[in-house]
Short mmCIF file of all heavy atoms in Angstrom, two decimals:
data_model
loop_
_atom_site.label_atom_id
_atom_site.label_comp_id
_atom_site.label_asym_id
_atom_site.label_seq_id
_atom_site.Cartn_x
_atom_site.Cartn_y
_atom_site.Cartn_z
N SER A 1 22.45 -47.52 -45.37
CA SER A 1 22.06 -48.90 -45.70
C SER A 1 21.41 -49.67 -44.56
O SER A 1 20.85 -50.73 -44.80
CB SER A 1 23.29 -49.68 -46.19
OG SER A 1 24.28 -49.71 -45.18
N SER A 2 21.44 -49.17 -43.34
CA SER A 2 20.96 -49.98 -42.22
C SER A 2 19.84 -49.37 -41.41
O SER A 2 19.41 -49.96 -40.41
CB SER A 2 22.13 -50.28 -41.27
OG SER A 2 23.11 -51.03 -41.94
N CYS A 3 19.33 -48.22 -41.80
CA CYS A 3 18.33 -47.53 -40.98
C CYS A 3 17.01 -48.29 -40.91
O CYS A 3 16.41 -48.40 -39.84
CB CYS A 3 18.11 -46.12 -41.50
SG CYS A 3 19.63 -45.14 -41.42
N ILE A 4 16.57 -48.84 -42.03
CA ILE A 4 15.34 -49.63 -42.03
C ILE A 4 15.54 -50.88 -41.17
O ILE A 4 14.67 -51.27 -40.41
CB ILE A 4 14.91 -50.00 -43.46
CG1 ILE A 4 14.75 -48.75 -44.34
CG2 ILE A 4 13.65 -50.86 -43.45
CD1 ILE A 4 13.71 -47.77 -43.88
N ASN A 5 16.72 -51.49 -41.28
CA ASN A 5 17.03 -52.65 -40.44
C ASN A 5 17.00 -52.29 -38.95
O ASN A 5 16.53 -53.07 -38.13
CB ASN A 5 18.40 -53.22 -40.79
CG ASN A 5 18.44 -53.85 -42.16
OD1 ASN A 5 17.41 -54.17 -42.74
ND2 ASN A 5 19.63 -54.00 -42.70
N ASP A 6 17.49 -51.10 -38.61
CA ASP A 6 17.51 -50.66 -37.21
C ASP A 6 16.10 -50.58 -36.64
O ASP A 6 15.84 -51.10 -35.55
CB ASP A 6 18.15 -49.27 -37.08
CG ASP A 6 19.65 -49.27 -37.32
OD1 ASP A 6 20.26 -50.36 -37.34
OD2 ASP A 6 20.21 -48.17 -37.47
N ILE A 7 15.20 -49.90 -37.35
CA ILE A 7 13.86 -49.73 -36.79
C ILE A 7 13.09 -51.05 -36.78
O ILE A 7 12.30 -51.30 -35.87
CB ILE A 7 13.06 -48.62 -37.50
CG1 ILE A 7 12.79 -48.95 -38.96
CG2 ILE A 7 13.75 -47.28 -37.35
CD1 ILE A 7 11.79 -48.03 -39.65
N THR A 8 13.35 -51.91 -37.76
CA THR A 8 12.70 -53.23 -37.79
C THR A 8 13.16 -54.07 -36.60
O THR A 8 12.34 -54.70 -35.93
CB THR A 8 13.01 -53.95 -39.11
OG1 THR A 8 12.52 -53.14 -40.20
CG2 THR A 8 12.36 -55.31 -39.17
N ALA A 9 14.45 -54.06 -36.32
CA ALA A 9 14.98 -54.83 -35.19
C ALA A 9 14.42 -54.33 -33.86
O ALA A 9 14.04 -55.14 -33.00
CB ALA A 9 16.51 -54.76 -35.18
N MET A 10 14.32 -53.03 -33.71
CA MET A 10 13.78 -52.47 -32.47
C MET A 10 12.30 -52.82 -32.31
O MET A 10 11.86 -53.24 -31.23
CB MET A 10 13.96 -50.96 -32.44
CG MET A 10 13.42 -50.32 -31.18
SD MET A 10 14.19 -50.90 -29.65
CE MET A 10 15.67 -49.93 -29.65
N GLN A 11 11.54 -52.70 -33.38
CA GLN A 11 10.12 -53.04 -33.33
C GLN A 11 9.94 -54.52 -32.99
O GLN A 11 9.13 -54.87 -32.12
CB GLN A 11 9.44 -52.73 -34.65
CG GLN A 11 7.96 -53.06 -34.65
CD GLN A 11 7.30 -52.82 -35.99
OE1 GLN A 11 7.95 -52.59 -37.01
NE2 GLN A 11 5.98 -52.89 -36.01
N GLU A 12 10.67 -55.39 -33.64
CA GLU A 12 10.55 -56.83 -33.39
C GLU A 12 10.94 -57.18 -31.96
O GLU A 12 10.30 -58.03 -31.32
CB GLU A 12 11.40 -57.61 -34.38
CG GLU A 12 10.82 -57.57 -35.79
CD GLU A 12 11.73 -58.20 -36.83
OE1 GLU A 12 12.89 -58.57 -36.51
OE2 GLU A 12 11.28 -58.32 -37.99
N MET A 13 11.96 -56.53 -31.42
CA MET A 13 12.37 -56.80 -30.04
C MET A 13 11.26 -56.40 -29.06
O MET A 13 10.93 -57.14 -28.14
CB MET A 13 13.67 -56.03 -29.73
CG MET A 13 14.25 -56.31 -28.36
SD MET A 13 13.63 -55.30 -27.00
CE MET A 13 14.03 -53.66 -27.51
N LEU A 14 10.65 -55.25 -29.30
CA LEU A 14 9.57 -54.81 -28.41
C LEU A 14 8.33 -55.69 -28.54
O LEU A 14 7.64 -55.95 -27.55
CB LEU A 14 9.22 -53.35 -28.70
CG LEU A 14 10.28 -52.33 -28.30
CD1 LEU A 14 9.92 -50.95 -28.82
CD2 LEU A 14 10.46 -52.31 -26.79
N GLU A 15 8.05 -56.18 -29.74
CA GLU A 15 6.90 -57.06 -29.95
C GLU A 15 7.05 -58.38 -29.19
O GLU A 15 6.06 -59.01 -28.83
CB GLU A 15 6.70 -57.33 -31.44
CG GLU A 15 6.12 -56.14 -32.19
CD GLU A 15 6.09 -56.32 -33.69
OE1 GLU A 15 6.81 -57.22 -34.23
OE2 GLU A 15 5.37 -55.56 -34.35
N ARG A 16 8.28 -58.80 -28.93
CA ARG A 16 8.53 -60.06 -28.21
C ARG A 16 8.35 -59.91 -26.69
O ARG A 16 8.29 -60.91 -25.99
CB ARG A 16 9.93 -60.57 -28.52
CG ARG A 16 10.09 -61.14 -29.91
CD ARG A 16 11.41 -61.88 -30.07
NE ARG A 16 12.57 -61.06 -29.82
CZ ARG A 16 13.22 -60.34 -30.76
NH1 ARG A 16 12.81 -60.36 -32.01
NH2 ARG A 16 14.28 -59.62 -30.43
N GLN A 17 8.29 -58.68 -26.21
CA GLN A 17 8.18 -58.44 -24.77
C GLN A 17 6.75 -58.72 -24.31
O GLN A 17 5.83 -58.02 -24.70
CB GLN A 17 8.58 -57.01 -24.42
CG GLN A 17 9.95 -56.62 -24.91
CD GLN A 17 11.04 -57.54 -24.43
OE1 GLN A 17 11.14 -57.83 -23.24
NE2 GLN A 17 11.85 -58.03 -25.35
N GLN A 18 6.56 -59.74 -23.51
CA GLN A 18 5.23 -60.14 -23.08
C GLN A 18 4.57 -59.15 -22.12
O GLN A 18 3.35 -59.12 -21.99
CB GLN A 18 5.28 -61.53 -22.44
CG GLN A 18 5.66 -62.59 -23.44
CD GLN A 18 5.71 -63.97 -22.82
OE1 GLN A 18 5.51 -64.14 -21.63
NE2 GLN A 18 5.97 -64.97 -23.64
N ASP A 19 5.36 -58.30 -21.50
CA ASP A 19 4.79 -57.34 -20.56
C ASP A 19 4.46 -55.99 -21.21
O ASP A 19 4.11 -55.04 -20.54
CB ASP A 19 5.71 -57.13 -19.36
CG ASP A 19 7.10 -56.67 -19.76
OD1 ASP A 19 7.49 -56.87 -20.94
OD2 ASP A 19 7.81 -56.12 -18.90
N LEU A 20 4.58 -55.94 -22.56
CA LEU A 20 4.27 -54.72 -23.30
C LEU A 20 3.18 -54.97 -24.32
O LEU A 20 3.10 -56.05 -24.92
CB LEU A 20 5.50 -54.21 -24.05
CG LEU A 20 6.74 -53.87 -23.25
CD1 LEU A 20 7.85 -53.41 -24.18
CD2 LEU A 20 6.44 -52.82 -22.18
N LYS A 21 2.34 -53.99 -24.54
CA LYS A 21 1.37 -54.01 -25.64
C LYS A 21 1.78 -52.86 -26.55
O LYS A 21 1.60 -51.68 -26.22
CB LYS A 21 -0.05 -53.83 -25.14
CG LYS A 21 -1.07 -53.92 -26.27
CD LYS A 21 -2.48 -53.93 -25.76
CE LYS A 21 -3.42 -54.08 -26.96
NZ LYS A 21 -4.82 -54.01 -26.55
N LEU A 22 2.34 -53.22 -27.71
CA LEU A 22 2.91 -52.24 -28.62
C LEU A 22 1.86 -51.74 -29.61
O LEU A 22 1.20 -52.52 -30.29
CB LEU A 22 4.09 -52.86 -29.38
CG LEU A 22 4.89 -51.94 -30.28
CD1 LEU A 22 5.54 -50.81 -29.48
CD2 LEU A 22 5.96 -52.75 -31.02
N HIS A 23 1.72 -50.42 -29.67
CA HIS A 23 0.86 -49.74 -30.64
C HIS A 23 1.83 -48.94 -31.51
O HIS A 23 2.23 -47.83 -31.13
CB HIS A 23 -0.12 -48.80 -29.95
CG HIS A 23 -0.89 -49.43 -28.84
ND1 HIS A 23 -2.08 -50.10 -29.06
CD2 HIS A 23 -0.65 -49.51 -27.51
CE1 HIS A 23 -2.53 -50.55 -27.90
NE2 HIS A 23 -1.68 -50.22 -26.95
N ALA A 24 2.22 -49.50 -32.64
CA ALA A 24 3.33 -48.92 -33.41
C ALA A 24 2.91 -48.49 -34.80
O ALA A 24 2.04 -49.09 -35.43
CB ALA A 24 4.47 -49.93 -33.50
N LEU A 25 3.59 -47.45 -35.27
CA LEU A 25 3.51 -47.02 -36.66
C LEU A 25 4.93 -46.93 -37.16
O LEU A 25 5.81 -46.40 -36.47
CB LEU A 25 2.81 -45.68 -36.80
CG LEU A 25 2.75 -45.14 -38.23
CD1 LEU A 25 1.86 -46.02 -39.12
CD2 LEU A 25 2.27 -43.71 -38.26
N VAL A 26 5.17 -47.43 -38.38
CA VAL A 26 6.49 -47.40 -38.99
C VAL A 26 6.43 -46.53 -40.23
O VAL A 26 5.58 -46.72 -41.09
CB VAL A 26 6.95 -48.83 -39.37
CG1 VAL A 26 8.28 -48.80 -40.09
CG2 VAL A 26 7.01 -49.71 -38.13
N LEU A 27 7.34 -45.56 -40.31
CA LEU A 27 7.48 -44.73 -41.50
C LEU A 27 8.87 -44.96 -42.08
O LEU A 27 9.87 -44.84 -41.37
CB LEU A 27 7.31 -43.25 -41.15
CG LEU A 27 5.98 -42.83 -40.54
CD1 LEU A 27 6.00 -41.34 -40.19
CD2 LEU A 27 4.82 -43.14 -41.48
N LYS A 28 8.90 -45.30 -43.37
CA LYS A 28 10.17 -45.60 -44.04
C LYS A 28 10.36 -44.66 -45.23
O LYS A 28 9.42 -44.36 -45.97
CB LYS A 28 10.19 -47.03 -44.55
CG LYS A 28 10.04 -48.08 -43.48
CD LYS A 28 9.96 -49.47 -44.09
CE LYS A 28 9.68 -50.52 -43.04
NZ LYS A 28 9.51 -51.85 -43.63
N ASN A 29 11.60 -44.24 -45.39
CA ASN A 29 12.03 -43.45 -46.54
C ASN A 29 11.06 -42.33 -46.88
O ASN A 29 10.83 -41.45 -46.06
CB ASN A 29 12.31 -44.37 -47.73
CG ASN A 29 13.50 -45.27 -47.46
OD1 ASN A 29 14.50 -44.83 -46.89
ND2 ASN A 29 13.40 -46.54 -47.81
N GLU A 30 10.46 -42.35 -48.07
CA GLU A 30 9.64 -41.23 -48.54
C GLU A 30 8.37 -41.01 -47.70
O GLU A 30 7.77 -39.94 -47.75
CB GLU A 30 9.28 -41.38 -50.03
CG GLU A 30 8.37 -42.54 -50.36
CD GLU A 30 9.08 -43.89 -50.48
OE1 GLU A 30 10.33 -43.92 -50.57
OE2 GLU A 30 8.37 -44.91 -50.49
N GLU A 31 7.96 -41.99 -46.92
CA GLU A 31 6.81 -41.82 -46.02
C GLU A 31 7.14 -40.87 -44.87
O GLU A 31 6.25 -40.27 -44.28
CB GLU A 31 6.39 -43.16 -45.40
CG GLU A 31 5.96 -44.21 -46.38
CD GLU A 31 5.79 -45.57 -45.71
OE1 GLU A 31 6.47 -45.87 -44.70
OE2 GLU A 31 4.95 -46.34 -46.22
N ALA A 32 8.42 -40.74 -44.57
CA ALA A 32 8.88 -40.02 -43.37
C ALA A 32 9.15 -38.55 -43.66
O ALA A 32 10.26 -38.07 -43.50
CB ALA A 32 10.12 -40.70 -42.82
N THR A 33 8.11 -37.83 -44.08
CA THR A 33 8.26 -36.40 -44.28
C THR A 33 8.16 -35.68 -42.93
O THR A 33 7.60 -36.22 -41.97
CB THR A 33 7.17 -35.85 -45.21
OG1 THR A 33 5.89 -36.02 -44.57
CG2 THR A 33 7.18 -36.56 -46.56
N LYS A 34 8.68 -34.47 -42.87
CA LYS A 34 8.60 -33.70 -41.64
C LYS A 34 7.14 -33.50 -41.24
O LYS A 34 6.78 -33.64 -40.07
CB LYS A 34 9.29 -32.35 -41.82
CG LYS A 34 9.31 -31.50 -40.58
CD LYS A 34 10.08 -30.22 -40.80
CE LYS A 34 10.12 -29.39 -39.55
NZ LYS A 34 10.91 -28.17 -39.72
N GLU A 35 6.29 -33.22 -42.22
CA GLU A 35 4.86 -33.01 -41.93
C GLU A 35 4.22 -34.28 -41.38
O GLU A 35 3.49 -34.24 -40.39
CB GLU A 35 4.14 -32.58 -43.21
CG GLU A 35 2.67 -32.33 -43.00
CD GLU A 35 1.96 -31.88 -44.26
OE1 GLU A 35 2.61 -31.71 -45.31
OE2 GLU A 35 0.74 -31.71 -44.18
N ARG A 36 4.50 -35.43 -42.00
CA ARG A 36 3.89 -36.69 -41.55
C ARG A 36 4.37 -37.07 -40.16
O ARG A 36 3.60 -37.52 -39.31
CB ARG A 36 4.21 -37.80 -42.57
CG ARG A 36 3.67 -39.17 -42.18
CD ARG A 36 2.30 -39.42 -42.73
NE ARG A 36 1.69 -40.64 -42.20
CZ ARG A 36 1.78 -41.84 -42.75
NH1 ARG A 36 2.45 -42.01 -43.87
NH2 ARG A 36 1.18 -42.87 -42.20
N ILE A 37 5.66 -36.89 -39.91
CA ILE A 37 6.19 -37.21 -38.58
C ILE A 37 5.51 -36.34 -37.53
O ILE A 37 5.09 -36.82 -36.48
CB ILE A 37 7.73 -37.05 -38.55
CG1 ILE A 37 8.38 -38.12 -39.44
CG2 ILE A 37 8.25 -37.15 -37.12
CD1 ILE A 37 9.86 -37.89 -39.68
N GLY A 38 5.38 -35.04 -37.81
CA GLY A 38 4.71 -34.14 -36.87
C GLY A 38 3.27 -34.53 -36.62
O GLY A 38 2.80 -34.55 -35.47
N THR A 39 2.56 -34.89 -37.69
CA THR A 39 1.16 -35.32 -37.57
C THR A 39 1.05 -36.57 -36.73
O THR A 39 0.20 -36.68 -35.84
CB THR A 39 0.56 -35.57 -38.96
OG1 THR A 39 0.56 -34.35 -39.69
CG2 THR A 39 -0.85 -36.11 -38.87
N GLU A 40 1.90 -37.55 -36.98
CA GLU A 40 1.85 -38.82 -36.25
C GLU A 40 2.29 -38.67 -34.80
O GLU A 40 1.83 -39.41 -33.94
CB GLU A 40 2.66 -39.89 -36.97
CG GLU A 40 2.12 -40.25 -38.35
CD GLU A 40 0.69 -40.78 -38.34
OE1 GLU A 40 0.18 -41.20 -37.28
OE2 GLU A 40 0.07 -40.79 -39.43
N PHE A 41 3.20 -37.73 -34.54
CA PHE A 41 3.57 -37.44 -33.16
C PHE A 41 2.32 -37.13 -32.36
O PHE A 41 2.09 -37.68 -31.29
CB PHE A 41 4.51 -36.23 -33.10
CG PHE A 41 5.87 -36.53 -32.58
CD1 PHE A 41 6.88 -36.96 -33.43
CD2 PHE A 41 6.16 -36.36 -31.23
CE1 PHE A 41 8.14 -37.22 -32.96
CE2 PHE A 41 7.43 -36.63 -30.74
CZ PHE A 41 8.42 -37.06 -31.61
N GLU A 42 1.51 -36.22 -32.89
CA GLU A 42 0.32 -35.80 -32.17
C GLU A 42 -0.77 -36.87 -32.22
O GLU A 42 -1.39 -37.19 -31.20
CB GLU A 42 -0.21 -34.50 -32.79
CG GLU A 42 -0.98 -33.69 -31.79
CD GLU A 42 -1.04 -32.24 -32.18
OE1 GLU A 42 -0.03 -31.68 -32.63
OE2 GLU A 42 -2.13 -31.69 -32.05
N LYS A 43 -1.00 -37.44 -33.40
CA LYS A 43 -2.08 -38.40 -33.59
C LYS A 43 -1.84 -39.71 -32.85
O LYS A 43 -2.69 -40.20 -32.12
CB LYS A 43 -2.25 -38.65 -35.09
CG LYS A 43 -3.44 -39.48 -35.48
CD LYS A 43 -3.59 -39.41 -37.00
CE LYS A 43 -3.75 -40.78 -37.60
NZ LYS A 43 -3.79 -40.74 -39.05
N ARG A 44 -0.70 -40.30 -33.02
CA ARG A 44 -0.42 -41.62 -32.45
C ARG A 44 0.13 -41.52 -31.03
O ARG A 44 -0.40 -42.11 -30.11
CB ARG A 44 0.59 -42.36 -33.32
CG ARG A 44 1.02 -43.69 -32.71
CD ARG A 44 1.58 -44.62 -33.72
NE ARG A 44 0.66 -44.86 -34.80
CZ ARG A 44 -0.32 -45.78 -34.81
NH1 ARG A 44 -0.50 -46.54 -33.76
NH2 ARG A 44 -1.09 -45.94 -35.84
N LEU A 45 1.18 -40.74 -30.86
CA LEU A 45 1.80 -40.67 -29.54
C LEU A 45 0.91 -39.93 -28.55
O LEU A 45 0.99 -40.16 -27.35
CB LEU A 45 3.18 -40.02 -29.64
CG LEU A 45 4.18 -40.71 -30.60
CD1 LEU A 45 5.53 -40.03 -30.55
CD2 LEU A 45 4.29 -42.20 -30.34
#
């Protein structure tokens, strides 16, 4: 029940940091397939 809340809270906390420029992608529930996570690891990170 709280996993989406966890990642949202972490993203929002990082967005408030003035010394960081966040380039983020969020994958939730059915978007978070093993294949998609692997692709985004390479593509985004």
Side-chain angles (χ1 to χ4, degrees):
S1 60
S2 297
C3 299
I4 304 299
N5 292 341
D6 289 347
I7 65 169
T8 301
M10 180 60 81
Q11 180 183 11
E12 289 173 353
M13 185 273 301
L14 291 171
E15 286 172 342
R16 287 191 301 270
Q17 305 305 309
Q18 294 180 357
D19 57 340
L20 301 179
K21 183 173 182 184
L22 186 62
H23 309 272
L25 177 67
V26 176
L27 300 177
K28 300 176 185 176
N29 294 320
E30 67 278 346
E31 299 170 331
T33 64
K34 183 177 181 177
E35 181 179 358
R36 178 91 189 269
I37 293 169
T39 297
E40 296 300 343
F41 243 88
E42 207 158 318
K43 188 170 131 184
R44 175 159 304 275
L45 303 183

